Amino acid sequence: MHGHPDTDHHARIPHATRIERSRVLVVGAGGLGCPASLALAQGGVGHLTLVDPDRVDVTNLHRQLWHRTGDVGRFKAESAAAGLLRAFPTLSVEALPERLDANNAEALFRAHDLVVDATDGVATKFFLSDVAVLTGVPLVYGGVLRMQGQALRVDPGGPCLRCLYEDAPPADAVPTCAQAGVLGSMAGLIGAVQALLALELLAGAAGRTRGEATLHVLDGATLEGRTVKVTRAPDCPGCGIQSLPPFPSSQEDTACPT
């Protein structure tokens, strides 16, 4: 792992050395994963692992900053890793062009200090929340739909995604990207917020109340934000998970890709 000397890197960030020793897993290298990984690298995180099974499509280029025209057809994880190394040559980056699922999720979570959910599938987000509770590894959730975005950090002992939403909605209840659309700049904002929530925790600067978390909601139309206090739900099945949950099927995982 490559680090940065304390004397010339992020002198104003408290506990910079702790951040530089951190290993962060970013699940998804698209509209959320690209800006989140940029902000994490800028914040001084020492190692980033990018996992994504998809390949770059020409429709991704206008909103997924690491991918270039010549990357079309290339695995997103590899393209994003190459972009990060262009910008941060001393950064330690690993690209995993594969799907995070029930076969590898627990091991990948446990190999990192924090996980960023930059996926586009509703059921996958619940799966990642369950794995975070099971492993005790913090997870930063993020989601964007049309001009709305939100982010939440799932800390050990705190409320999970199921405390907030109870369960994934039926597949036909969530519009597809073609139906709803995603504003690229909105995904960029939420990805940056996810990175801030991650850096706050990695730096040891997060003021936490056990059993509580803060949902950050951004309105792209008005450029206004609000916060919502989320408390741990009594008898939440996600908070009491004891074993790895099944990975959602493609029929369950309706998405609006970011």
Side-chain angles (χ1 to χ4, degrees):
M1 180 187 301
H2 298 283
H4 305 272
D6 292 339
T7 56
D8 64 1
H9 182 63
H10 296 294
R12 297 184 181 181
I13 297 179
H15 310 294
T17 303
R18 180 187 297 187
I19 294 176
E20 291 164 4
R21 290 197 301 265
S22 298
R23 294 173 54 86
V24 176
L25 173 66
V26 181
V27 186
L32 290 173
C34 286
S37 60
L38 169 61
L40 289 167
Q42 289 176 324
V45 169
H47 176 87
L48 292 174
T49 299
L50 308 177
V51 55
D52 194 317
D54 295 334
R55 295 179 182 269
V56 179
D57 184 83
V58 66
T59 60
N60 303 143
L61 300 181
H62 71 287
R63 66 177 188 273
Q64 299 180 13
L65 61 94
W66 293 130
H67 311 312
R68 299 176 171 181
T69 302
D71 294 318
V72 172
R74 188 180 186 185
F75 282 113
K76 285 186 178 182
E78 295 177 350
S79 174
L84 280 162
L85 288 174
R86 286 195 300 269
F88 305 93
T90 62
L91 179 67
S92 173
V93 185
E94 181 179 9
L96 299 178
E98 61 191 57
R99 185 175 301 281
L100 185 146
D101 57 23
N103 295 317
N104 59 9
E106 187 172 356
L108 284 172
F109 267 64
R110 294 189 187 280
H112 295 83
D113 300 298
L114 182 141
V115 178
V116 174
D117 168 18
T119 65
D120 55 18
V122 177
T124 295
K125 292 181 178 298
F126 281 87
F127 173 78
L128 295 178
S129 175
D130 292 342
V131 179
V133 173
L134 178 67
T135 60
V137 177
L139 171 76
V140 182
Y141 152 77
V144 178
L145 184 64
R146 299 188 180 95
M147 297 284 286
Q148 301 289 328
Q150 53 188 235
L152 172 78
R153 192 177 62 233
V154 177
D155 292 320
C160 71
L161 199 57
R162 294 187 188 277
C163 293
L164 179 63
Y165 293 116
E166 294 187 2
D167 205 351
D172 58 1
V174 181
T176 65
C177 188
Q179 292 169 332
V182 169
L183 183 65
S185 56
M186 195 70 222
L189 282 172
I190 295 301
V193 171
Q194 288 182 277
L196 285 173
L197 292 175
L199 291 166
E200 178 185 54
L201 184 65
L202 294 172
R208 292 180 287 167
T209 301
R210 187 170 180 85
E212 294 184 359
T214 302
L215 176 70
H216 299 265
V217 182
L218 295 178
D219 186 332
T222 62
L223 293 182
E224 294 181 348
R226 61 187 175 92
T227 58
V228 179
K229 185 174 75 173
V230 181
T231 57
R232 190 166 178 172
D235 303 319
C236 170
C239 290
I241 192 166
Q242 298 291 321
S243 59
L244 192 68
F247 187 74
S249 67
S250 58
Q251 288 79 15
E252 295 173 318
D253 209 14
T254 303
C256 186
T258 54

